[in-house]
Amino acid sequence: MIPALPTIVSRLRLKQLRLLIALDEQGSLHRAAEQVFISQPGATKSLHEIENTFGFELFTRNSQGLEPNDLGRCVIRYARLIHSDLAHLREEMVGILQGQGGRLSVGTIMGAVPMLMRALGRLRQKQPELSVEIVEDTSARLLGLVDQGRLDLAICRSSVSQRPDAYDCLTLHPEQLTLVAHPDHPARAATKLELSDLSIYRWVVYPTNMPMRLLLEREFSQCGLEFPRYPVETASTFTMLSLLQEDPELVAVMPLAVAEFSEKFGMIRRLPFELQSRSEPYGLVARHGSTLSAAAQLLLDEIRSEQLSG
């Protein structure tokens, strides 16, 4: 049985986490000990202490050295996350002490990418030493990262959560959507299209239960059409654009801001079809009652300023 969290916290030391990472990289106690500047007997003792803390062996001993088992790979993954978080902590503290810079982690859904890039562009002109991590994903996954404290802010929809009141949300604007395809799609010459005209083609769509997938399903249902069979599902902007580039007969629904940007570079073509449904607004989301870092507050101010001026 895995010990309780207070037991693990009281026994585990940061230097032991460094040893786990070194063992994963080196595959040998001797080389790992050299990497973290301790003796081999010290490394052996430290590994025994780690395994005793968790109550299970984390490595398989063989003739080549040490290989992490499933539990070991799990512990090593979190050891790396903790090490990375400490590096980010130091970086942010240095920025605070210098009165500038700092670190910002922000998540975004696809449709908000252009707006976020504009806001970050303005912010980095004012704070050129600011380090920024950007995560693009679905609203549900971004909210999970907000819950874990791995994101300062996320531009997404808190409504997908089972407890939307757990977040503070600055509502931005409804997301305009459009249908897109390869520039040489067979329907490219049409001046007006019906959904029935496009239902015969292959589609790339958002995963099940995502707001834009639900909207598209509603469009097909309202037109009395069967939803496309065997679609390709992705929430990645790059993957969607790549698929459209590779297959001239694919059709996709995409946020208008992303479609306009991509069309400008000849990557896709917007199709002459107007969706009847409207997507719900997204917002700038933070944990309820949390205190934003200085960098996160500056980004919030930039986005709020753009909303007011727009």
Side-chain angles (χ1 to χ4, degrees):
M1 182 176 178
I2 302 293
L5 179 60
T7 301
I8 296 175
V9 171
S10 66
R11 293 181 181 176
L12 205 58
R13 300 191 300 275
L14 291 176
K15 196 165 186 178
Q16 292 175 329
L17 299 182
R18 287 182 56 214
L19 176 62
L20 286 175
I21 296 170
L23 283 169
D24 185 46
E25 294 174 347
Q26 301 296 336
S28 156
L29 259 175
H30 174 69
R31 292 194 298 272
E34 289 182 341
Q35 183 170 317
V36 297
F37 304 107
I38 60 175
S39 66
Q40 184 167 339
T44 301
K45 179 183 177 183
S46 186
L47 178 57
H48 284 317
E49 290 173 347
I50 297 168
E51 292 183 322
N52 286 337
T53 294
F54 288 104
F56 292 91
E57 290 191 351
L58 303 179
F59 291 83
T60 301
R61 282 73 171 170
N62 54 42
S63 57
Q64 283 75 42
L66 295 176
E67 181 178 347
N69 56 28
D70 288 344
L71 286 174
R73 282 190 285 272
C74 175
V75 174
I76 289 166
R77 177 160 55 89
Y78 279 93
R80 291 185 183 279
L81 286 172
I82 293 169
H83 189 270
S84 175
D85 283 346
L86 286 171
H88 294 162
L89 167 63
R90 180 187 181 279
E91 192 176 343
E92 188 165 335
M93 290 178 69
V94 169
I96 292 171
L97 289 172
Q98 293 176 344
Q100 57 183 350
R103 179 177 175 79
L104 173 65
S105 296
V106 58
T108 180
I109 56 174
M110 182 201 291
V113 169
M115 180 187 65
L116 176 60
M117 294 307 103
R118 291 193 300 270
L120 285 175
R122 295 190 301 271
L123 178 54
R124 283 177 57 80
Q125 286 182 349
K126 300 172 184 176
Q127 297 274 15
E129 296 181 11
L130 177 66
S131 296
V132 182
E133 177 188 11
I134 303 167
V135 178
E136 182 197 338
D137 214 320
T138 65
S139 291
R141 289 175 181 163
L142 293 175
L143 291 175
L145 293 174
V146 170
D147 290 339
Q148 297 166 24
R150 298 198 171 278
L151 292 178
D152 299 302
L153 296 165
I155 305 176
C156 61
R157 295 179 177 87
S158 59
S159 62
V160 304
S161 171
Q162 294 182 346
R163 47 188 187 89
D165 57 343
Y167 308 98
D168 292 329
C169 182
L170 170 66
T171 300
L172 300 175
H173 51 69
E175 188 174 39
Q176 291 183 272
L177 305 176
T178 186
L179 296 188
V180 299
H182 188 281
D184 295 327
H185 189 274
R188 65 187 181 277
T191 55
K192 186 177 180 181
L193 290 168
E194 301 294 334
L195 196 55
S196 57
D197 300 323
L198 298 170
S199 63
I200 62 173
Y201 296 106
R202 294 186 291 272
W203 283 70
V204 52
V205 300
Y206 287 83
T208 303
N209 293 326
M210 286 185 59
M212 295 214 302
R213 170 67 172 267
L214 294 173
L215 182 146
L216 188 61
E217 289 175 350
R218 189 162 61 248
E219 288 280 330
F220 273 87
S221 176
Q222 289 173 349
C223 292
L225 297 170
E226 181 183 17
F227 193 75
R229 293 185 180 184
Y230 318 118
V232 179
E233 297 185 6
T234 182
S236 163
T237 306
F238 182 75
T239 300
M240 185 171 287
L241 289 170
S242 298
L243 286 166
L244 291 169
Q245 285 287 296
E246 290 297 322
D247 188 342
E249 294 203 353
L250 271 180
V251 177
V253 61
M254 184 177 288
L256 179 61
V258 177
E260 289 175 337
F261 177 85
S262 304
E263 189 174 41
K264 184 167 60 176
F265 292 96
M267 301 171 69
I268 58 164
R269 175 192 294 266
R270 282 182 289 164
L271 297 174
F273 174 81
E274 184 175 347
L275 292 159
Q276 299 304 307
S277 303
R278 290 292 175 263
S279 182
E280 66 177 286
Y282 51 74
L284 192 60
V285 175
R287 283 178 295 173
H288 177 64
S290 63
T291 301
L292 295 180
S293 68
Q297 184 62 54
L298 288 172
L299 177 63
L300 173 61
D301 293 342
E302 288 292 341
I303 291 176
R304 182 182 283 128
S305 175
E306 177 172 321
Q307 289 296 112
L308 293 174
S309 62

